[in-house]
Amino acid sequence: MTTVDDDRSRERTSTEPPTGPAAAQLALDRAVARLLELQHEDGWWQGELETNVTMDAEDLLMRQFLGVRTREQSEQSARWIRSRQRGDGSWATFYGGPPDVSTTAEAYVALRLCGDGPDEPHMVAARDVVLSHGGLGATRVFTRMWLALFGLWSWDDLPLLPPELVFLPAAVPLNLYDFACWARQTIAPIAVLASLRPTRALGFGVDELRGAAGSPPDSGAPLFRLLDRLVRRYDRLPYRPTRAAALRAIVSWIVDRQEADGSWGGIQPPWVYSLMALHAYGYSLDDPVIARGLAGWERFTVSEETAEGPVRRIEACQSPVWDTALALVALADAGIEPSAPAVQRAADWLCGEEVRVRGDWAVRRPRLPAGGWAFEFDNDLYPDIDDTAEVVLGLLRAGSGGSRRAAVARGIEWVVGMRSRDGGWAAFDADNTRELAYRLPFCDFGAVIDPPSADVTAHVVEMLARTGTHPDAMQGGVRWLLTHQEADGSWFGRWGANHLYGT
């Protein structure tokens, strides 16, 4: 006989959270449902690419340089920058990272530009961080270059980067193609700015951040010190026979590499510097190149309502191709059938994003047919090996018949053709390993070359193993990975910058 107490007992049991396999299945079902909710109607996925406030500070400074900064933009960006300041007054380059003098200095200058007074408590705290870390003289070259653009730092105290670099053939050390694509596209417009030395007014100074006088950057070996002296001597000549031609050539190089959405490489650094360099060279704001660049920049702007009011922040890059490929693999792993509409929409969208034009990668691989995929919506000149490998894996899970089969085949052949001489794969280029670039005093801002890495090589090995193609290249990749295992057993991930990702 069933009693009321028995019914209540069963009711309690039925509402208890599941455990074991049932709990795992519930979590999986919820994750799949959420992923499908996040898919764009055109078939792609894109998560926000979070970064630090240098993006927002430099956005405001770029707008000030071009004369297009508005009060609304300033208020919303300043609100965001303030919200990211930590309790010690600093800003970091990554979440939970140590105080960074360059990021903090740029945030401080941007907030001054937006009207924050130097005596306000949060500004005093930021100033103390900058001073305690060596003042403006301890900031990176990029930060001091931003200051020079507004007369807050002397161009004479910055490392020289002559536009004549554009004339160096690809076989000569320190030519533009010796640098990774992200550095190459940034160095070109900076060379224009460093040659023209434009300045714009801010309406205030930042002497309170100077601290002790900083030492000039060490230019390394005697050869580099000699080269630096020679370049500076040439730069001071009243007549420089190659300069006008070099500026014309490098400006043309920059314009030729603007993407369809107005960006350069689909990333922030070359984008903002190219806009300022072209404007300084004489391009007006209504010139199609500048107008496209500014219009496209709006897509990288994230607006959000907060308790303190609306904020705006800038994405350094956007990742729809990567996110969509990963989503396809995840859905297949979760048991979603290839015929599912969401899967087919995503696969069709990815096929439409295939890169069929030749970019800078062809300098090192002149006979390799075009193929592959980029990370972003628009970056046709710089497809990357990592994305291509992951897209191939995603398309295979979605069913790669018909036109997809041809796209997959082209992607595989392009990836194999981009293998470096040592058997590994880099992100964008092959054999981009000349470390001489790091000896330049200008290159104090991080990675400036694109050598093979464990994470990219591992994705290619996975792709080749899955497709059963090019076994010799796959085994070469395996040997490369075994050779580059760290002493503690891990592999370092360069693009997911930690050992867990690489491993």
Side-chain angles (χ1 to χ4, degrees), residues 114-132:
C114 294
D116 290 18
D119 296 327
E120 295 184 51
H122 67 290
M123 298 294 279
V124 172
R127 181 190 68 208
D128 290 345
V129 169
V130 174
L131 293 177
S132 68

Side-chain angles (χ1 to χ4, degrees), residues 45 63 82 112 118 156 158 199 211 239 257-259 263 355-356 400 409 414 476:
W45 283 268
R63 292 179 181 280
R82 288 188 213 105
R112 287 289 313 273
D156 291 332
L158 288 169
T199 58
Y239 173 65
R257 281 157 180 77
Q258 188 179 36
E259 297 286 346
S263 74
V355 173
R356 298 299 304 277
S400 57
W414 182 76

Side-chain angles (χ1 to χ4, degrees), residues 304-328:
E304 185 179 41
E305 289 292 335
T306 70
E308 288 73 33
V311 299
R312 65 188 294 274
R313 57 182 177 271
I314 305 298
E315 289 186 276
C317 185
Q318 292 181 329
S319 55
V321 173
W322 181 251
D323 295 347
T324 303
L326 289 177
L328 274 181

Side-chain angles (χ1 to χ4, degrees), residues 261 263-267 299-300 316-322 349 353 373-380 382-384 387 428:
D261 66 346
S263 74
W264 279 266
I267 56 176
R299 192 167 73 181
F300 281 57
C317 185
Q318 292 181 329
S319 55
V321 173
W322 181 251
W349 183 83
E353 290 297 303
W373 282 264
F375 188 70
E376 305 88 348
F377 285 108
D378 295 284
N379 191 6
D380 286 350
Y382 296 99
D384 71 88
D387 272 276
F428 295 92

Side-chain angles (χ1 to χ4, degrees), residues 79-121:
R79 194 174 288 123
W80 173 252
I81 293 171
R82 288 188 213 105
S83 74
R84 299 295 94 186
Q85 188 177 22
R86 281 104 64 89
D88 64 356
S90 72
W91 287 265
T93 57
F94 58 91
Y95 182 80
D100 184 76
V101 62
S102 299
T103 306
T104 303
E106 291 187 29
Y108 180 96
V109 174
L111 290 178
R112 287 289 313 273
L113 181 62
C114 294
D116 290 18
D119 296 327
E120 295 184 51

Side-chain angles (χ1 to χ4, degrees), residues 41-214:
E41 61 182 11
D42 290 339
W44 47 265
W45 283 268
Q46 181 205 336
E48 181 179 347
L49 200 154
E50 297 181 9
T51 181
N52 60 68
V53 299
T54 57
M55 299 298 111
D56 311 289
E58 292 173 5
D59 167 67
L60 292 171
L61 292 169
M62 176 195 72
R63 292 179 181 280
Q64 178 73 9
F65 185 91
L66 298 176
V68 297
R69 181 173 64 90
T70 69
R71 180 177 178 179
E72 181 182 34
Q73 291 164 347
S74 300
E75 291 174 350
Q76 294 183 10
S77 294
R79 194 174 288 123
W80 173 252
I81 293 171
R82 288 188 213 105
S83 74
R84 299 295 94 186
Q85 188 177 22
R86 281 104 64 89
D88 64 356
S90 72
W91 287 265
T93 57
F94 58 91
Y95 182 80
D100 184 76
V101 62
S102 299
T103 306
T104 303
E106 291 187 29
Y108 180 96
V109 174
L111 290 178
R112 287 289 313 273
L113 181 62
C114 294
D116 290 18
D119 296 327
E120 295 184 51
H122 67 290
M123 298 294 279
V124 172
R127 181 190 68 208
D128 290 345
V129 169
V130 174
L131 293 177
S132 68
H133 286 77
L136 294 179
T139 59
R140 61 180 182 160
V141 168
F142 277 7
T143 299
R144 284 177 277 135
M145 182 161 288
W146 280 104
L147 296 172
L149 288 169
F150 297 98
L152 304 176
W153 195 266
S154 172
W155 285 103
D156 291 332
D157 293 335
L158 288 169
L160 280 177
L161 197 66
E164 283 81 0
L165 281 173
V166 74
F167 292 141
L168 294 179
V172 174
L174 301 180
N175 70 87
L176 278 176
Y177 301 98
D178 266 5
F179 297 91
C181 67
W182 60 89
R184 178 188 317 147
Q185 288 202 105
T186 302
I187 285 169
I190 283 179
V192 175
L193 292 167
S195 176
L196 298 177
R197 298 187 169 196
T199 58
R200 302 289 189 268
L202 279 184
F204 59 87
V206 289
D207 287 344
E208 68 270 20
L209 298 183
R210 288 191 175 274

Side-chain angles (χ1 to χ4, degrees), residues 268-305:
Q268 183 263 6
W271 200 338
V272 296
Y273 288 115
S274 293
L275 287 172
M276 292 189 298
L278 295 176
H279 190 53
Y281 187 71
Y283 281 62
S284 65
L285 291 177
D286 57 4
D287 184 277
V289 175
I290 300 287
R292 268 197 312 273
L294 287 173
W297 188 243
E298 293 303 316
R299 192 167 73 181
F300 281 57
T301 304
V302 178
S303 298
E304 185 179 41
E305 289 292 335

